[in-house]
Amino acid sequence: MSFMFGGGRAQPSSAEKIAAAETEVEMISDMFNRLSQSCTKKCIPPEYREADLNKGESVCLDRCVSKFFEVNLKVSEKMQGEAAQRGGAGGVGGGMFGM
């Protein structure tokens, strides 16, 4: 009866699970670095006048991060849709984090 609950697919091995987790950590780290560089360059001037962010910088960073995630989610959904149309839908889950 395992075909009913397992979906007919072989379960990934421990090594495959570890490799998938490592790949996901690398992808998230890369996304965070791109987000940090992009939004810092856009919102924070290179010469600091005060130790804390002013209101304009804070609002700019908030909007930048929001837009970055919104675009990232849309691109991810589009890519998953195209993969599903080609019949290569390996991952089930939405968005960047596979949830």
Side-chain angles (χ1 to χ4, degrees), residues 7 15 36 51 58 64 69 89:
S36 296
S58 182
C64 182
F69 279 114

Side-chain angles (χ1 to χ4, degrees), residues 5-60:
F5 301 108
R9 289 183 273 166
Q11 295 295 318
S13 69
S14 267
E16 291 171 330
K17 289 178 183 178
I18 290 171
E22 288 174 345
T23 300
E24 187 169 0
V25 167
E26 287 176 16
M27 287 173 33
I28 292 171
S29 295
D30 177 60
M31 184 204 54
F32 175 78
N33 290 332
R34 287 185 291 119
L35 167 72
S36 296
Q37 290 172 354
S38 175
C39 292
T40 299
K41 184 178 179 181
K42 179 179 179 182
C43 298
I44 301 175
E47 66 282 342
Y48 298 126
R49 294 192 178 97
E50 29 188 272
D52 295 328
L53 294 173
N54 64 37
K55 183 160 179 97
E57 293 166 341
S58 182
V59 168
C60 180

